[in-house]
Amino acid sequence: MAVIEEASDLPLLRPLLAFDKAEIVAEAKEIGTLDVAILPAEDCCTLFSSPVAETRAELERLRALEARIEVADTVETLLGSAEVVYPRYEPEREGSLVG
C-alpha cells in the first residue's frame, strides 16, 4: 500500500482497511456485491485479477520503471480512451447494479 501511495500526491482512501471480516461482509451485503465476492476462486478471483499483479512491490524498482515512461503522455492517452459507465439499479433484481 505504501508503494501505491507513492504514485499520487492525493490521499488514498481505504474505507475497508479498519473493518474486520464481519463488517466487510455486512457492507458487501448492503451494497449488493456479496454474491460476487463469495464465488469460488476459479470463478471470481482469477476472473477479475491480473495474472501479473504485483503483490510485493518495491519502491525503487517502481521509480526506475516510471522513469522510463512519459507519464504525462501516458495519462493523456489513458484519459482519452476512458469510458464512463453509469450503473443503474434494478429493483426487481434485489441489490443488483447493472453496468
Side-chain angles (χ1 to χ4, degrees), residues 36-49:
V36 172
I38 62 174
L39 289 173
E42 63 271 15
D43 294 330
C44 181
C45 296
T46 56
L47 177 64
F48 297 118
S49 65

Side-chain angles (χ1 to χ4, degrees), residues 21-72:
K21 184 173 182 173
E23 291 169 318
I24 293 170
V25 168
E27 185 69 19
K29 282 181 187 176
E30 186 174 325
I31 65 172
T33 61
L34 184 63
D35 291 341
V36 172
I38 62 174
L39 289 173
E42 63 271 15
D43 294 330
C44 181
C45 296
T46 56
L47 177 64
F48 297 118
S49 65
S50 168
V52 294
E54 179 67 63
T55 58
R56 289 179 176 74
E58 298 172 19
L59 183 55
E60 291 308 315
R61 184 168 176 236
L62 175 66
R63 286 182 177 153
L65 290 170
E66 287 179 339
R68 295 170 39 195
I69 64 170
E70 294 293 331
V71 176

